[in-house]
Amino acid sequence: AQLRARLRAPHAHRAQLPLGCALWPHASKFAAMAAAATKAAWAAATAVASKSAAVDLERRRDGNMRLQQHVYAQNTNHAGLSPACAFRDASIIVQTDEQTLDMFCNWLHHYRQLKLPNPVYVVAYGSAAGKVGARNFENVSFVAPPRMDRLGGARGGDGGIGAQNFGSSAFYALNTAKIKVAAQLVRSTRRPVVFTDVDTALRRDPFALLQDLFAALPPSKVFAIAPDQNERDPLRTGVCACFFAACASHAGERVLHRWWNASGGFASTVNEQKAFNRMVDKEPELLAGPVALLPYTHFPTGHGNPPLRPSVAMVHANWVRGHDAKVKRLRAHKLWRDGACADFQ
């Protein structure tokens, strides 16, 4: 800085520079070299920081989940598994409204293909409630939606809160409502609960996979949620609230209640997925304690439309906007059944 100040001074003052600065005509070259060195040092420091963050992320997932190496229990002896986490007996929840009714029928079609006995609970909003109720859905029960402020009461108005309105306050209110429904079902049925978005299709038995996972995890794990990752994007951080599972225990309920409160409860207008991520950021002990991240090899996000591997249990048509784009994604994977609702007349 002193050198720059003197170089900017009138020519007469240049003679006052110390002997070491007698080469002042080359100062600009030296300054450029110094700037380049500073830039290189900054880039190196940034690279080290990024690598450190990636290592920390990998350690967190390794330490808490043992999933970076895709360790997944294959044993069938669940004698030590808590009955509260016996996911082979779990219930599954899905939500629908007028705009996503055909997606619900498609979801149920593929669920039925797996021939699973686990009960299905449907939260139907708006006019979809009557249309769903008029069909013959065996082993399907209906749950009244929570009275979310932005959904116009228990029934949620006349629909219009589905895939076409992603990002609206009503959309986020609907997605937050699933947390309350899951907590209520855990308490009333005393069975583990699984939630999956309606724009998904199941390819494998999720309950058996979850039971194996929880059998391999420490007993402190009572809640698992899908990561926002897949094999094309393995270092994405955060979760995907499209799929989660809660054990039928007070500890499992507590995680749901904390998430519900973090999302704003009945007055929610926020993205419940971001709320979960913020909750974990503020309380990192959650990942060290009750919360587990599911393996993206089995429950991948749809970001970048990853290929279907034999391990994939669920395909999610997310990271595309709008009903038609979601249908196109599922159809491309041969997981869309046109006219699926006609199967349940």
Side-chain angles (χ1 to χ4, degrees):
Q2 187 180 34
L3 178 60
R4 286 197 192 96
R6 292 192 178 188
L7 285 174
R8 291 193 189 102
H11 186 76
H13 293 282
R14 290 176 183 167
Q16 299 173 11
L17 289 172
L19 184 62
C21 295
L23 299 178
W24 70 266
H26 302 286
S28 60
K29 180 179 178 182
F30 296 151
M33 291 172 63
T38 301
K39 185 176 181 181
W42 176 258
T46 302
V48 169
S50 298
K51 184 177 180 181
S52 176
V55 169
D56 287 345
L57 178 64
E58 185 173 345
R59 282 176 180 166
R60 186 184 76 180
R61 290 175 182 146
D62 251 356
N64 294 327
M65 297 297 297
R66 297 189 293 163
L67 292 176
Q68 280 300 107
Q69 288 80 30
H70 314 312
V71 176
Y72 210 84
Q74 299 300 321
N75 61 300
T76 57
N77 179 16
H78 300 296
L81 183 69
S82 166
C85 299
F87 278 92
R88 288 187 185 276
D89 298 323
S91 305
I92 191 165
I93 306 168
V94 65
Q95 298 192 124
T96 188
D97 71 345
E98 178 68 25
Q99 293 182 1
T100 59
L101 187 58
D102 59 341
M103 286 189 180
F104 165 68
C105 293
N106 183 72
W107 178 92
L108 189 59
H109 167 78
H110 288 94
Y111 180 80
R112 291 281 174 81
Q113 296 298 303
L114 298 174
K115 302 186 185 306
L116 299 172
N118 305 68
V120 176
Y121 288 88
V122 182
V123 189
Y125 294 84
S127 58
K131 293 181 178 180
V132 170
R135 287 176 165 79
N136 179 26
F137 295 120
E138 183 181 356
N139 203 28
V140 173
S141 302
F142 301 95
V143 181
R147 291 183 174 274
M148 305 298 290
D149 294 351
R150 292 303 178 106
L151 296 181
R155 289 180 63 99
D158 294 321
I161 48 180
Q164 304 289 356
N165 290 287
F166 176 84
S168 68
S169 59
F171 177 88
Y172 289 141
L174 180 148
N175 280 287
T176 298
K178 68 192 179 190
I179 308 169
K180 189 68 171 177
V181 172
Q184 290 172 340
L185 275 179
V186 166
R187 173 157 292 189
S188 63
T189 65
R190 304 317 303 170
R191 302 172 71 154
V193 166
V194 174
F195 173 86
T196 178
D197 271 354
V198 72
D199 57 345
T200 63
L202 293 171
R203 302 174 67 238
R204 296 180 60 190
D205 179 352
F207 308 110
L209 289 173
L210 287 167
Q211 181 133 334
D212 285 343
L213 172 65
F214 276 89
L217 291 172
S220 61
K221 300 294 184 185
V222 293
F223 183 91
I225 190 166
D228 198 16
Q229 300 170 293
N230 56 47
E231 65 176 77
R232 287 184 174 168
D233 205 353
L235 290 180
R236 283 186 63 83
T237 59
V239 304
C240 179
C242 55
F243 187 97
F244 62 82
C247 296
S249 64
H250 293 303
E253 285 185 63
R254 278 197 297 272
V255 174
L256 289 167
H257 287 310
R258 290 167 80 171
W259 186 13
W260 167 255
N261 292 329
S263 301
F266 290 109
S268 176
T269 58
V270 302
N271 185 323
E272 89 293 353
Q273 181 169 298
K274 289 183 178 179
F276 192 96
N277 287 326
R278 286 195 295 269
M279 183 175 73
V280 170
D281 289 342
K282 291 179 181 177
E283 304 175 62
E285 65 272 13
L286 286 172
L287 281 177
V291 176
L293 293 177
L294 291 167
Y296 67 75
T297 50
H298 295 72
F299 300 94
T301 182
H303 188 254
N305 194 20
L308 291 191
R309 304 297 185 195
S311 63
V312 172
M314 178 193 75
V315 174
H316 190 193
N318 65 338
W319 288 98
V320 291
R321 180 171 292 193
H323 178 276
D324 293 345
K326 291 176 179 293
V327 171
K328 182 179 179 181
R329 168 74 61 83
L330 292 170
R331 181 177 281 124
H333 290 300
K334 296 181 171 53
L335 290 171
W336 180 258
R337 179 174 174 81
D338 289 311
C341 286
D343 296 342
F344 306 106
Q345 297 293 348

